[in-house]
Structures are given as C-alpha cells and as structure tokens.
Amino acid sequence: MPGMVLFGRRWAIASDDLVFPGFFELSLRVVWWIGILTLYLLHRGKLDCAGGVLLSSYLIVLIVLLAVIICTLTAIVCVSMKGTICNPGPRKSMAKLLYIRLALFLPEMGWASLGAAWIADDIQCDKTVVNGIIATVVVSWIIIVSTVVTIIVVFDPLGGKMAPYSSAGPNHLDSHESSQLLNGLKTAATSVWETRIKLLCCCVGKDDHTRVAFSSTAELFSTYFSDTDLVPSDIAAGLTLLHQQQDNIRNSQEPDEVISHSPGPPQEADLDAELENCHHYMQFAAAAYGWPLYIYRNPFTGLCKIGGDCCRTRTAEYDLVGGDQLSCHFGSILQTTGLQYRDFIHISFHDKVYELPFLVALDHRKESVVVAVRGTMSLQDILTDLSAESEDLNLECGVQDCSAHKGISQAARYVYQRLINDGILSQAFSIAPEYRLVVVGHSLGAGAAALLAIMLRSSYPQLRCYAFSPPRGLLSKSLYEHSKNFTVSLVLGKDIIPRLSVTNLEDLKKRILRVIAHCNKPKYKILLRGCWYELFGGDPDNLPTELDGGAQGHLTQPLLGEQSLLTHGSPTYSFSSDSPLESPAKYPHLYPPGRIIHLEEEGTSGRFCRAAARYSARWAHESQFSKILIGPKMLTDHMPDVLMKALDSVVSDRAAYVFCPPGGGSNVDVV
C-alpha cells in the first residue's frame, strides 16, 4: 500500500499499518480508563478537601476524554483491518480518523499540563487519589512522547515531493512530467541517503575513499528504493509471503523435478579433497577476524586464553612478525590456527574504506603460504561492500571484459600492493621457496581473496583460492569462467550473501511487488501468520489471490496492480516475464568466483536448534544462486562459526562413510 498522504506530504506508513500499534494503545487506554473510573467511583467522597473540586473536575473530564479517544482508536483499528495491501478502498476514511485522533492530542496535552500544575500545588487530599492522578499524568506524557517519537520515525524526508504523485497516481501524469518527477526524486533521494549515511558513519573519517564510498552507497540506495511506493511493513509482508510461497513450491516438487547442475565425474572425484582443504583453510579465514570472533565462539574460555596477550606489552616474539594494531588479535590468531609466532610473516589490522585487514602465514602442514583477508567487521567494511557499481580492471590474465565489484576490487588492489610493494610475499617465499600460495577469506574477505588471486595468478601459477560465502555480485562472466581454474567457493544452505547482487535485489523487489499485489489477505493477517510460521513452522499458505474465485465482485475499488506500486513505469520491469531483469550499465550482471561447493542441510533441525543439523556436500552451478531465498537461516548460514560447524560435520560424516560404507560395500563418493 502506498504511504499515506497527511498534511500534504507522504509518510512512511500505510493505512493498514495501524492494527498492532492501535490495538496496543487501545488496550492501554481501556485499562487506564477502567482504573480512572474505578478511582473516581471509589474515592469521590474523599474529594471534599481543599482543591478537591479541581481534582474531581480533572478526573471527570479525563474519563470523558479517554472514552472519546477509545472510540476513535477502535474505529482506527477496525478500519485498518479492512481491505488488502493493494486494495485500500475500504480504508479511505483512515485519513479523517487520524486527523481526529491527532486533534484529540491537543486537549489531552492541555489536560495533562493542568494535572501536573495542580499536583505541583501540593493539594492536601486523600493520598490514594493524589497518587492515582500522578500516575495518570505520567502515563499521559509517556503516550504523548511516544507519539512524537513515532511521528519522527515515520517521517519521510521526500514526502513533500512524493505527495503530489501519490495522490495523482501514474495515470494522471504524462511521460514528460513522470520522467521529471522520477529524476527529481532520485536526485533528492541520493542527497537524503548520503546525509543519512554520513550521520551513521560520522566516526569513519573524511578521506577521499570515504567520500567516494558515501556517494556510491547513496546512489545505490536511491536507485533501489526511489522507484517504488512501498512502506517498510509492505516489504516485511512481501518477504513473509515469498518465504511461504517458496516453501510451498519446494514441497510440491517431486524429487525428479529438481534439476541438478553437477559438474562431470572428474570434479566429483576431488570433492572430498577440496572439502578437506576448505575445512583446513577456513581456520585461517576465521583467524583473520581476530579476537571478536574468537571470543564469540568461545564465550566462557576465550578471554582467559588470550587475556595475557591483551595485557602484556609486545615481546621479542611479537617483533618477529610484521604488522600493526595487533593488540589482542595475535593471541586469538594463534589459538585459532594452532601455529607458532615464527610461522607468521605479516599481520595487519589496519582498517579503512577500501583497505582490509589481512595476515600472511606459513602453513607447514599443507606446505603453503597463506594469505587470509578479513571479512566485514566495521562500518568501513560495510561502505566497501556497498560500493557495488562495476569497474574495469587492468589485469594480465588474457581475459576480455575484466570488470568486477568496485569496492571489493579496490580492497583487493590495496592488499595486492601491500603484498608486492612491501615485499611481504618475497619474504615468505625466501623462507619457504617450495611452498604454494593459497589465498582465503570469508564474506567480503572471500570476494577480495578471489580478486587478489586473479591479480597474483600470473606471478604464482600454482596459486589456489578458497572463498567462503563470497558475494555473488563480484565478477564479470569471463572472469568467473577464468577463476574456475584455481578458485573454490563454499556456500552454506540459504546464505543470502552468495545470492546477493544488485540484479538479484531488483529481482527480489519485482517478486515482492508481484506477491503483495496478488494476495487477498489483510496485512496484519499476513504478518501474524508469518511470525507463527517463522517461529513454529507448519504448512505454508497457498497464497490465493484477490482475483481468484469470484472475489473480484467484493472489491470497493479496482485492485492496485504491480505497476501502481512503482513511482514510475520503469522499463526495467517486465511483469509478464520471469526472465532475469536487465541491469543498468552501472550495475551489470556479476557472478560469484570459481567452482562452488554447496553444503545443504538434510531434512530439518527445527527453527532454532542447529545442534542436530546434518549436511550433504555437492558441486553446484552458479545459476542455483541466481535468486535470493527467504528463510530464518538466510542470515545465520553466513556466520563464520556456523559455517565452521557445518564443515566439521560434513567432513567427519564423509570420512566415516568412506571408512565404513553402508552394507560393507566399496568406498563410493557421496554427492
């Protein structure tokens, strides 16, 4: 439902968003009204004291005022429950009811002020009555302040520009006016988003890289959000419906309907070997996060194990290692990797926009020089993530169309320059010239590691890269194909990051618009059902539409379609097609790095219990990550500690299967 227009401007709230807040305030008001009425009826005989007439008048007027407010809130809740997200006709009286409700705040504020003034006069009356009135005054001001905070939260800085369009609709503007409006909205939205980001990241710094990142992030957000007229609750309802729709489709599929894109037998043969390598090198990717991840993984014993390193000054052993800003990190790195001081060549926790922390170590077990790049851990890293436009790379790899994610490629170039110009790799290979170079990372670090591996491959032909949960929107098609020769990516379950790109977000927005436009349920029912489904599971709804089953005759006005939820009829959207969305030139279709191993959970381990989860591993094609999957584990599956536990489980299960195959048969790889 488009945002409501009140006082000549659009607000970030819809007319069907008032069910839950209205019901909460209504419940509070009813209890309050009953309490005040009971207080007055039981103690009105004790109001013959000095000032008692004032208090009696205060209570009577308050009882009447609360009764009027309760009636108004009841009407607001009832009206807000009517219709659907895209059928606001039954709620057309909501604006008038809100004007009445807001007008009632004026006498309520005045009466609360008078009550506070009378109490301040130290009226000598029954203590119970006085205490009850004090509580009444306090509750009145709490509600008033809460309302002011709510108004601030739902205030839309672009509301003044959106209001004329929201009231007119797309059919009332010609193409020239609509184009002018869209351009104006995008310009204003970019400015607003840049201001928001600068306020949020006020402590990040103001160097050139940071300013560029602010502009890139603001442009990304304005591009994604400025062409739809949805409020946050609409998006939440759409995600809830998509999750149930997705599960419903999956449950209705027969096993032979699931298309597998498994590579050929040669790749299947090395699945176990690559899993074992992933299991080993994931320790380095986790170590690159330093002490925060170590303490998170070991909340009871972690601080005791690395506490000494945090407190003591640098020792001679520390001086053997190059780097900066080690603080408590070195102790956690040693504990995570199991290496010794002398095995580390360089550790850097220098962290700025486009400049990531990394470490370089000698791994004697695998006879490799390991470069591990840290993933997202700071606001600077988030700005690097969100600099999502594509930029061309100058690479010596013999590949056409060398383009990649701008922020991550800048970060990879920084690490590359440090490794080469500071002689870090030269130092490592002077100690172990026969070792092989391995580059690893998780999340943002995985993307940077994959690009770093491409940059280093010409100098180190035997190089290998292991990218754990890398972002999807990373490499051009040709670079993606090239990276398959030396890069392996690992993805767990429904992890959102390996499915996250600008084009996939556009596709998600298109699916949200479609599903909420075709659902015949009120928003409050969608959200209630969605909360129950996420918490306790159950059978997903079949999502009937308002146009099915003859329900069209019950509509009080024509159903708003998907196009009406857009602020402009953008050619980017083709609602009759399921083909991938065409991308703007600045955000072309990008791919994840290398060959992909997908760890999938077998069966279900419950919504929140992961202790009993079991996983299977198989080679996967990048097309299987071309859509964002909605689910309660889409975020937790990205966490490095969860990925490490899943790797432990799948590697131990496959090893047990190899040594003890069922039925005593020969050893066979399980896919």
Side-chain angles (χ1 to χ4, degrees):
M1 168 63 193
M4 283 191 298
V5 177
L6 296 172
F7 303 106
R9 66 178 303 116
R10 178 192 181 274
W11 297 79
I13 188 171
S15 57
D16 53 356
D17 284 339
L18 301 173
V19 176
F20 299 118
F23 183 78
F24 176 77
E25 185 182 355
L26 179 61
S27 302
L28 183 62
R29 296 279 186 178
V30 169
V31 172
W32 184 12
W33 183 79
I34 293 173
I36 295 299
L37 183 61
T38 303
L39 178 69
Y40 177 75
L41 293 177
L42 294 180
H43 297 277
R44 59 183 173 180
K46 300 178 182 179
L47 295 176
D48 53 357
C49 54
V53 176
L54 292 176
L55 294 183
S56 178
S57 302
Y58 176 81
L59 290 175
I60 292 173
V61 173
L62 183 61
I63 290 170
V64 174
L65 182 59
L66 282 176
V68 175
I69 292 174
I70 287 171
C71 293
T72 305
L73 286 174
T74 302
I76 289 174
V77 172
C78 291
V79 171
S80 187
M81 295 170 69
K82 296 180 179 180
T84 64
I85 295 176
C86 292
N87 178 29
R91 302 188 298 272
K92 59 186 177 182
S93 60
M94 180 60 73
K96 296 177 182 177
L97 290 173
L98 286 178
Y99 285 134
I100 294 172
R101 176 66 191 94
L102 292 172
L104 288 173
F105 273 110
L106 296 177
E108 186 176 15
M109 290 177 64
W111 213 241
S113 301
L114 286 176
W118 290 338
I119 291 172
D121 287 341
D122 194 21
I123 297 176
Q124 301 298 320
C125 281
D126 183 77
K127 285 292 183 182
T128 303
V129 177
V130 174
N131 291 336
I133 293 177
I134 291 174
T136 294
V137 172
V138 170
V139 172
S140 295
W141 282 110
I142 289 175
I143 291 178
I144 291 169
V145 170
S146 300
T147 303
V148 172
V149 171
T150 302
I151 291 174
I152 294 173
V153 170
V154 301
F155 178 79
D156 184 356
L158 300 174
K161 297 178 180 293
M162 287 287 293
Y165 182 82
S166 297
S167 58
N171 297 327
H172 292 75
L173 297 175
D174 60 33
S175 59
H176 178 68
E177 291 175 330
S178 185
S179 179
Q180 281 188 327
L181 175 65
L182 182 63
N183 291 333
L185 283 175
K186 285 187 174 180
T187 302
T190 301
S191 176
V192 168
W193 277 110
E194 189 163 355
T195 302
R196 289 171 175 170
I197 294 165
K198 286 180 178 178
L199 289 174
L200 182 63
C201 305
C202 57
C203 302
V204 168
K206 296 183 179 179
D207 57 23
D208 291 340
H209 281 172
T210 304
R211 283 191 286 269
V212 171
F214 284 160
S215 298
S216 297
T217 304
E219 188 167 353
L220 173 65
F221 282 179
S222 63
T223 299
Y224 186 71
F225 290 110
S226 64
D227 63 344
T228 57
D229 191 9
L230 296 175
V231 298
S233 61
D234 293 338
I235 298 174
L239 292 174
T240 296
L241 291 171
L242 280 179
H243 182 206
Q244 296 177 52
Q245 182 186 67
Q246 164 191 300
D247 288 354
N248 192 43
I249 293 173
R250 185 189 62 192
N251 293 342
S252 64
Q253 282 183 329
E254 296 295 333
D256 58 350
E257 291 179 338
V258 181
I259 301 175
S260 175
H261 295 275
S262 299
Q267 289 192 355
E268 290 296 341
D270 70 352
L271 179 58
D272 283 324
E274 293 294 10
L275 277 172
E276 199 280 328
N277 287 334
C278 288
H279 184 250
H280 176 77
Y281 288 116
M282 181 62 201
Q283 307 299 322
F284 291 89
Y289 282 98
W291 67 263
L293 179 60
Y294 184 78
I295 296 296
Y296 177 76
R297 292 180 59 209
N298 305 276
F300 301 110
T301 61
L303 192 58
C304 297
K305 291 181 179 179
I306 68 171
D309 294 295
C310 297
C311 300
R312 66 171 176 252
T313 57
R314 287 178 65 102
T315 64
E317 291 174 314
Y318 274 66
D319 293 331
L320 295 174
V321 182
D324 48 55
Q325 303 181 23
L326 295 183
S327 61
C328 302
H329 295 301
F330 206 166
S332 66
I333 291 171
L334 293 172
Q335 292 287 339
T336 302
T337 60
L339 301 182
Q340 304 297 318
Y341 290 96
R342 62 179 179 273
D343 297 326
F344 289 89
I345 305 300
H346 191 91
I347 301 174
S348 172
F349 277 88
H350 168 80
D351 187 15
K352 294 179 68 177
V353 176
Y354 304 153
E355 298 177 7
L356 298 178
F358 66 96
L359 63 87
V360 180
L362 299 177
D363 178 18
H364 302 296
R365 177 184 163 190
K366 292 285 188 178
E367 296 187 345
S368 58
V369 174
V370 181
V371 177
V373 187
R374 195 190 73 180
T376 304
M377 275 281 289
S378 66
L379 289 174
Q380 292 94 323
D381 299 336
I382 293 174
L383 289 172
T384 301
D385 284 317
L386 294 175
S387 297
E389 61 263 43
S390 176
E391 75 169 7
D392 293 330
L393 305 179
N394 184 17
L395 299 174
E396 299 177 0
C397 59
V399 173
Q400 299 294 324
D401 184 24
C402 293
S403 60
H405 184 290
K406 174 185 174 180
I408 300 178
S409 64
Q410 297 265 8
R413 188 175 296 111
Y414 162 78
V415 178
Y416 175 84
Q417 291 171 349
R418 290 288 307 275
L419 293 175
I420 302 302
N421 297 344
D422 295 355
I424 297 173
L425 285 185
S426 298
Q427 179 186 352
F429 283 103
S430 68
I431 299 173
E434 73 282 6
Y435 282 14
R436 180 174 67 173
L437 180 61
V438 177
V439 186
V440 303
H442 173 266
S443 187
L444 169 62
L451 279 165
L452 179 62
I454 294 173
M455 296 174 184
L456 290 169
R457 182 91 190 298
S458 59
S459 302
Y460 300 90
Q462 301 302 314
L463 173 148
R464 298 289 294 172
C465 175
Y466 292 94
F468 303 98
S469 306
R472 176 176 176 82
L474 183 66
L475 305 174
S476 62
K477 179 71 171 179
S478 55
L479 278 182
Y480 156 67
E481 295 292 345
H482 174 67
S483 68
K484 288 182 178 181
N485 298 320
F486 52 89
T487 299
V488 172
S489 293
L490 187 75
V491 177
L492 174 62
K494 295 183 178 181
D495 186 354
I496 186 175
I497 299 302
R499 298 173 169 85
L500 194 62
S501 66
V502 175
T503 49
N504 280 8
L505 282 173
E506 285 287 338
D507 174 70
L508 177 64
K509 179 167 67 176
K510 171 185 173 181
R511 289 191 287 148
I512 288 175
L513 292 174
R514 176 183 294 142
V515 75
I516 64 177
H518 290 181
C519 183
N520 70 347
K521 297 180 181 179
K523 188 189 297 181
Y524 79 95
K525 287 187 178 181
I526 296 173
L527 295 176
L528 283 176
R529 167 63 179 159
C531 288
W532 180 271
Y533 185 74
E534 298 298 337
L535 291 173
F536 306 107
D539 294 328
D541 288 346
N542 290 324
L543 308 174
T545 68
E546 196 144 18
L547 301 180
D548 293 337
Q552 191 171 3
H554 299 292
L555 298 179
T556 57
Q557 71 174 50
L559 181 68
L560 294 176
E562 295 156 275
Q563 289 285 358
S564 66
L565 297 174
L566 298 171
T567 60
H568 184 265
S570 172
T572 303
Y573 292 86
S574 175
F575 292 105
S576 62
S577 172
D578 288 324
S579 60
L581 298 174
E582 295 181 4
S583 304
K586 203 167 190 177
Y587 302 105
H589 194 75
L590 298 178
Y591 298 82
R595 298 181 297 158
I596 303 172
I597 298 176
H598 189 200
L599 304 184
E600 291 186 290
E601 187 174 350
E602 295 179 336
T604 177
S605 60
R607 292 297 191 190
F608 305 105
C609 176
R610 190 177 284 273
R614 297 176 64 87
Y615 299 90
S616 61
R618 64 183 180 86
W619 292 106
H621 191 267
E622 63 82 18
S623 61
Q624 294 175 250
F625 306 94
S626 60
K627 285 186 180 293
I628 294 174
L629 300 182
I630 310 302
K633 294 180 180 178
M634 61 188 292
L635 298 179
T636 57
D637 279 347
H638 186 68
M639 297 297 292
D641 61 309
V642 176
L643 180 57
M644 293 174 77
K645 291 177 183 177
L647 264 175
D648 290 341
S649 171
V650 74
V651 169
S652 61
D653 286 350
R654 290 176 72 90
Y657 186 91
V658 169
F659 286 109
C660 302
S666 59
N667 298 347
V668 180
D669 283 341
V670 179
V671 180

